[in-house]
Amino acid sequence: MEKRTGYLKMKGNPLTLLGRELKVGEKAPEFQALTQDLQPFSLSDTAGKLRVVSVVPSIDTPVCDAQTRFFNQDASKFPDVAILSISVDLPFAIKRYCAAQGIENLTTLSDHKALDFGSKYGFVIEELRLLSRGVIVIDKDDVIRYIQYVPNVEDAPDFDSALAAVKALS
């Protein structure tokens, strides 16, 4: 598997990303993850829809919580857009978090089992076995129209650019 260095940092320390960096215009890879109810989920489950994939290291951290809340709130503004949030948190933790925080307008997914999403989309942090932070917008034909790999794990993604991509495709 490809290793990418020199891009990602956490608390000033360099980290290694596993998997190839995807680019705008590429076909979005199919992936398998689990829902909070332990059901299998794949990208094709949302076929024919515009998708926003919010990638977070762990939902129980302040920036990840803010990112998840942002997309949960904005999901209601785009009823024809599938908003997905993915981390390596266990499905049980995701379910507890969503219930406690009122997260109900997006689909939360766990990549903990096989890191299938993270490996195919290039978001796996080798040293931590977590996903890095980012946002991907995938059109109805499964083409990546926007992708951001956030270079500092502690920073939020560029919400305005991600929403501009969604609005341009809606």
Side-chain angles (χ1 to χ4, degrees):
M1 178 175 297
E2 182 179 334
K3 292 186 179 187
R4 300 182 346 258
T5 58
Y7 178 75
L8 182 66
K9 289 186 178 182
M10 182 173 179
K11 297 183 180 178
N13 298 311
L15 296 170
T16 306
L17 284 173
L18 299 178
R20 189 174 68 79
E21 180 180 353
L22 299 180
K23 306 280 186 193
V24 170
E26 291 185 58
K27 185 87 166 167
E30 182 64 62
F31 68 86
Q32 296 289 317
L34 291 174
T35 66
Q36 59 182 280
D37 293 320
L38 301 173
Q39 297 303 307
F41 181 94
S42 62
L43 182 65
S44 59
D45 290 341
T46 57
K49 288 188 168 192
L50 179 61
R51 274 89 24 120
V52 175
V53 183
S54 171
V55 188
V56 297
S58 177
I59 55 171
D60 276 334
T61 62
V63 178
C64 298
D65 174 61
Q67 184 174 338
T68 303
R69 287 175 180 277
F70 175 84
F71 284 109
N72 181 66
Q73 183 178 26
D74 270 31
S76 61
K77 297 175 187 173
F78 299 100
D80 296 331
V81 177
I83 311 274
L84 313 174
S85 177
I86 189 162
S87 70
V88 294
D89 291 301
L90 293 175
F92 312 108
I94 293 171
K95 189 172 190 170
R96 177 197 50 75
Y97 165 83
C98 289
Q101 303 302 327
I103 305 296
E104 51 192 33
N105 295 325
L106 51 78
T107 301
T108 51
L109 301 170
S110 173
D111 198 28
H112 86 95
K113 191 172 179 182
L115 292 173
D116 190 52
F117 168 85
S119 299
K120 290 177 178 175
Y121 283 74
F123 278 94
V124 177
I125 302 172
E126 180 180 43
E127 295 85 353
L128 302 174
R129 200 181 184 282
L130 294 173
L131 299 181
S132 184
R133 183 177 318 286
V135 179
I136 308 160
V137 177
I138 303 168
D139 73 13
K140 295 175 183 182
D141 297 317
D142 297 334
V143 176
I144 296 170
R145 296 300 177 189
Y146 174 87
I147 188 163
Q148 181 191 16
Y149 295 91
V150 178
N152 185 352
V153 176
E154 291 96 3
D155 292 342
D158 183 347
F159 295 124
D160 293 336
S161 292
L163 286 182
V166 171
K167 289 176 184 173
L169 295 165
S170 295

Coordinates of all heavy atoms in Angstrom, one line a residue, residues 58-107:
S58 N -12.1 10.8 15.3 CA -12.9 10.2 16.4 C -14.0 11.2 16.8 O -13.7 12.3 17.1 CB -12.1 9.8 17.6 OG -12.9 9.4 18.6
I59 N -15.3 10.7 16.8 CA -16.4 11.6 17.1 C -16.4 12.2 18.5 O -17.0 13.2 18.7 CB -17.7 10.9 16.8 CG1 -17.8 9.7 17.6 CG2 -18.0 10.7 15.3 CD1 -19.2 9.0 17.6
D60 N -15.6 11.6 19.4 CA -15.6 12.1 20.8 C -14.5 13.2 21.0 O -14.1 13.4 22.1 CB -15.4 11.0 21.7 CG -16.7 10.3 22.1 OD1 -17.7 10.9 22.0 OD2 -16.7 9.1 22.4
T61 N -14.1 13.9 20.0 CA -13.1 15.0 20.2 C -13.8 16.3 19.7 O -14.7 16.2 18.9 CB -11.8 14.7 19.4 OG1 -12.1 14.7 18.0 CG2 -11.1 13.4 19.8
P62 N -13.3 17.4 20.3 CA -14.0 18.7 20.0 C -14.1 19.0 18.5 O -15.2 19.4 18.1 CB -13.2 19.7 20.8 CG -12.5 18.9 21.9 CD -12.3 17.5 21.3
V63 N -13.1 18.9 17.7 CA -13.1 19.3 16.3 C -14.0 18.3 15.5 O -14.8 18.7 14.7 CB -11.7 19.4 15.7 CG1 -11.8 19.8 14.2 CG2 -10.9 20.5 16.4
C64 N -13.9 17.0 15.8 CA -14.7 16.0 15.2 C -16.2 16.2 15.5 O -17.1 16.1 14.6 CB -14.3 14.6 15.5 SG -12.6 14.2 15.0
D65 N -16.5 16.5 16.8 CA -17.8 16.8 17.2 C -18.4 18.0 16.4 O -19.5 18.0 15.9 CB -17.9 17.1 18.7 CG -19.2 17.5 19.2 OD1 -20.2 16.7 19.1 OD2 -19.3 18.6 19.7
A66 N -17.6 19.1 16.3 CA -18.0 20.3 15.6 C -18.3 20.0 14.2 O -19.3 20.4 13.6 CB -17.0 21.4 15.8
Q67 N -17.4 19.2 13.5 CA -17.5 18.8 12.1 C -18.8 18.0 11.9 O -19.6 18.2 11.0 CB -16.3 18.0 11.7 CG -16.3 17.7 10.2 CD -15.0 17.1 9.8 OE1 -14.0 17.2 10.4 NE2 -15.0 16.3 8.7
T68 N -19.0 17.0 12.8 CA -20.2 16.2 12.7 C -21.5 17.0 12.9 O -22.5 16.9 12.1 CB -20.2 15.0 13.7 OG1 -19.0 14.3 13.4 CG2 -21.4 14.1 13.6
R69 N -21.5 17.9 13.9 CA -22.7 18.8 14.1 C -22.9 19.7 12.9 O -24.1 19.9 12.5 CB -22.5 19.6 15.4 CG -22.6 18.8 16.7 CD -22.2 19.7 17.8 NE -22.3 19.1 19.1 CZ -23.4 18.9 19.8 NH1 -24.6 19.3 19.3 NH2 -23.4 18.2 20.9
F70 N -21.9 20.2 12.3 CA -22.0 21.1 11.2 C -22.7 20.4 10.1 O -23.7 20.9 9.5 CB -20.6 21.6 10.7 CG -20.7 22.4 9.5 CD1 -21.0 23.8 9.5 CD2 -20.5 21.9 8.2 CE1 -21.1 24.6 8.4 CE2 -20.6 22.6 7.0 CZ -20.9 24.0 7.1
F71 N -22.2 19.2 9.7 CA -22.9 18.5 8.6 C -24.2 17.9 9.0 O -25.1 17.9 8.1 CB -21.9 17.4 8.1 CG -20.8 18.0 7.2 CD1 -19.5 18.0 7.7 CD2 -21.1 18.5 6.0 CE1 -18.5 18.5 6.9 CE2 -20.1 19.1 5.2 CZ -18.8 19.1 5.7
N72 N -24.5 17.6 10.2 CA -25.8 17.2 10.7 C -26.8 18.3 10.5 O -27.9 18.1 10.0 CB -25.8 16.7 12.1 CG -27.1 16.2 12.6 OD1 -27.6 15.2 12.1 ND2 -27.7 17.0 13.5
Q73 N -26.4 19.5 10.9 CA -27.3 20.7 10.7 C -27.5 21.0 9.2 O -28.6 21.3 8.8 CB -26.7 21.9 11.4 CG -27.5 23.1 11.4 CD -26.9 24.3 12.2 OE1 -25.7 24.3 12.4 NE2 -27.7 25.1 12.7
D74 N -26.4 21.0 8.5 CA -26.6 21.3 7.0 C -27.3 20.2 6.2 O -27.8 20.5 5.2 CB -25.2 21.6 6.4 CG -24.9 23.1 6.6 OD1 -25.4 23.7 7.6 OD2 -24.2 23.7 5.7
A75 N -27.3 19.0 6.7 CA -27.9 17.9 6.0 C -29.4 18.2 5.8 O -30.0 17.9 4.7 CB -27.7 16.6 6.7
S76 N -30.0 18.8 6.7 CA -31.5 19.1 6.6 C -31.7 20.2 5.5 O -32.9 20.2 5.0 CB -32.0 19.6 8.0 OG -31.4 20.7 8.4
K77 N -30.8 21.0 5.2 CA -30.9 22.0 4.1 C -30.8 21.4 2.7 O -31.2 22.0 1.8 CB -29.8 23.1 4.3 CG -30.0 23.8 5.6 CD -28.8 24.8 5.7 CE -28.8 25.4 7.1 NZ -27.6 26.3 7.3
F78 N -30.3 20.2 2.6 CA -30.1 19.5 1.3 C -30.8 18.1 1.4 O -30.1 17.1 1.5 CB -28.7 19.3 1.0 CG -27.9 20.6 0.9 CD1 -27.1 21.1 1.9 CD2 -28.0 21.4 -0.3 CE1 -26.4 22.3 1.8 CE2 -27.3 22.6 -0.4 CZ -26.5 23.0 0.7
P79 N -32.1 18.1 1.3 CA -32.8 16.8 1.5 C -32.5 15.7 0.4 O -32.6 14.5 0.7 CB -34.3 17.2 1.4 CG -34.3 18.5 0.7 CD -33.0 19.1 1.0
D80 N -32.0 16.1 -0.7 CA -31.6 15.1 -1.8 C -30.2 14.8 -1.8 O -29.7 14.1 -2.7 CB -32.0 15.7 -3.2 CG -33.5 15.9 -3.3 OD1 -34.3 15.2 -2.6 OD2 -33.9 16.8 -4.0
V81 N -29.4 15.2 -0.7 CA -28.0 14.9 -0.6 C -27.8 13.9 0.5 O -28.3 14.1 1.6 CB -27.2 16.2 -0.4 CG1 -25.7 15.8 -0.2 CG2 -27.4 17.1 -1.5
A82 N -27.1 12.8 0.3 CA -26.7 11.9 1.3 C -25.5 12.3 2.0 O -24.4 12.5 1.4 CB -26.5 10.5 0.7
I83 N -25.6 12.6 3.3 CA -24.5 13.1 4.1 C -24.0 11.9 4.9 O -24.8 11.3 5.7 CB -24.8 14.2 5.0 CG1 -25.6 15.3 4.3 CG2 -23.6 14.7 5.8 CD1 -24.7 16.3 3.6
L84 N -22.7 11.5 4.7 CA -22.1 10.4 5.5 C -21.0 10.9 6.4 O -20.3 11.8 5.9 CB -21.6 9.4 4.5 CG -22.4 9.0 3.3 CD1 -21.6 8.1 2.3 CD2 -23.7 8.3 3.8
S85 N -20.9 10.4 7.6 CA -19.8 10.7 8.5 C -19.2 9.4 8.8 O -19.8 8.4 9.2 CB -20.4 11.4 9.7 OG -19.3 11.6 10.6
I86 N -17.8 9.3 8.6 CA -17.1 8.1 8.8 C -15.9 8.3 9.7 O -15.2 9.3 9.6 CB -16.8 7.4 7.5 CG1 -16.2 6.0 7.7 CG2 -15.8 8.3 6.7 CD1 -16.3 5.1 6.5
S87 N -15.7 7.3 10.6 CA -14.6 7.3 11.5 C -14.2 5.9 11.8 O -14.9 5.0 11.3 CB -14.9 8.0 12.8 OG -15.8 7.3 13.6
V88 N -13.2 5.6 12.6 CA -12.9 4.2 13.0 C -13.5 4.0 14.4 O -13.2 2.9 15.0 CB -11.4 3.9 13.0 CG1 -10.9 3.9 11.6 CG2 -10.6 4.8 13.9
D89 N -14.3 4.8 14.9 CA -15.0 4.6 16.2 C -15.9 3.3 16.1 O -16.4 3.0 15.0 CB -15.9 5.8 16.6 CG -15.1 7.0 16.9 OD1 -14.3 7.0 17.9 OD2 -15.3 8.0 16.2
L90 N -16.0 2.6 17.2 CA -16.9 1.4 17.2 C -18.3 1.8 16.9 O -18.7 2.9 17.4 CB -16.7 0.7 18.5 CG -15.4 0.0 18.8 CD1 -15.4 -0.6 20.2 CD2 -15.1 -1.0 17.7
P91 N -19.1 1.0 16.2 CA -20.5 1.3 16.0 C -21.3 1.6 17.3 O -22.1 2.5 17.3 CB -21.0 0.1 15.3 CG -19.8 -0.5 14.6 CD -18.7 -0.2 15.6
F92 N -20.9 1.0 18.4 CA -21.6 1.2 19.7 C -21.3 2.6 20.2 O -22.2 3.3 20.7 CB -21.2 0.2 20.7 CG -21.2 -1.2 20.2 CD1 -20.0 -1.9 20.0 CD2 -22.4 -1.9 20.0 CE1 -20.0 -3.2 19.5 CE2 -22.4 -3.2 19.5 CZ -21.2 -3.8 19.3
A93 N -20.1 3.1 20.0 CA -19.7 4.4 20.5 C -20.4 5.5 19.6 O -20.9 6.5 20.1 CB -18.2 4.6 20.4
I94 N -20.5 5.2 18.3 CA -21.2 6.1 17.4 C -22.6 6.2 17.7 O -23.2 7.3 17.7 CB -21.0 5.6 15.9 CG1 -19.5 5.7 15.5 CG2 -21.9 6.4 15.0 CD1 -19.2 5.1 14.2
K95 N -23.3 5.1 18.0 CA -24.7 5.1 18.3 C -24.9 5.9 19.6 O -25.9 6.7 19.7 CB -25.2 3.6 18.5 CG -26.7 3.5 18.6 CD -27.1 2.1 18.6 CE -28.6 2.0 18.5 NZ -29.1 0.6 18.2
R96 N -24.1 5.7 20.6 CA -24.2 6.4 21.9 C -24.1 7.9 21.7 O -24.8 8.7 22.1 CB -23.2 5.9 22.9 CG -23.2 6.6 24.2 CD -22.0 6.4 25.1 NE -20.7 6.7 24.3 CZ -20.2 7.9 24.0 NH1 -20.9 8.9 24.3 NH2 -19.1 8.0 23.4
Y97 N -23.0 8.3 20.9 CA -22.7 9.7 20.6 C -23.9 10.3 19.9 O -24.4 11.4 20.3 CB -21.5 9.8 19.8 CG -21.3 11.1 19.1 CD1 -20.8 12.2 19.8 CD2 -21.7 11.4 17.8 CE1 -20.6 13.5 19.2 CE2 -21.6 12.6 17.2 CZ -21.0 13.6 17.9 OH -20.9 14.9 17.3
C98 N -24.4 9.7 18.8 CA -25.6 10.2 18.1 C -26.8 10.4 18.9 O -27.5 11.4 18.8 CB -25.9 9.3 16.9 SG -24.6 9.4 15.6
A99 N -27.1 9.4 19.8 CA -28.2 9.6 20.7 C -28.0 10.7 21.7 O -29.0 11.5 21.9 CB -28.5 8.3 21.4
A100 N -26.9 10.8 22.2 CA -26.6 11.9 23.2 C -26.6 13.3 22.6 O -27.0 14.3 23.2 CB -25.3 11.6 23.9
Q101 N -26.1 13.4 21.3 CA -26.0 14.7 20.7 C -27.1 15.1 19.7 O -27.0 16.1 19.1 CB -24.6 14.8 20.0 CG -23.4 14.5 20.9 CD -23.3 15.4 22.1 OE1 -23.7 16.6 22.0 NE2 -22.9 14.9 23.2
G102 N -28.1 14.2 19.5 CA -29.2 14.5 18.6 C -28.7 14.5 17.2 O -29.3 15.2 16.4
I103 N -27.8 13.7 16.8 CA -27.3 13.5 15.4 C -28.2 12.6 14.7 O -28.2 11.4 15.0 CB -25.9 13.0 15.4 CG1 -24.9 13.9 16.2 CG2 -25.4 12.9 13.9 CD1 -24.8 15.4 15.7
E104 N -29.1 13.1 13.8 CA -30.0 12.2 13.2 C -30.3 12.6 11.7 O -31.0 11.9 11.0 CB -31.4 12.3 13.9 CG -31.9 13.6 14.2 CD -33.1 13.7 15.1 OE1 -33.1 12.8 16.1 OE2 -33.9 14.5 15.0
N105 N -29.6 13.6 11.2 CA -29.8 14.0 9.8 C -28.7 13.5 8.8 O -28.6 13.9 7.7 CB -29.8 15.5 9.7 CG -31.0 16.1 10.4 OD1 -32.1 15.5 10.4 ND2 -30.9 17.2 11.0
L106 N -27.8 12.6 9.3 CA -26.8 12.1 8.5 C -26.6 10.6 8.8 O -27.0 10.1 9.9 CB -25.4 12.9 8.6 CG -24.8 13.2 9.9 CD1 -24.1 12.0 10.5 CD2 -23.9 14.3 9.8
T107 N -25.9 9.9 8.0 CA -25.6 8.5 8.2 C -24.2 8.4 8.8 O -23.2 8.8 8.1 CB -25.7 7.7 6.9 OG1 -27.0 7.8 6.4 CG2 -25.4 6.2 7.1

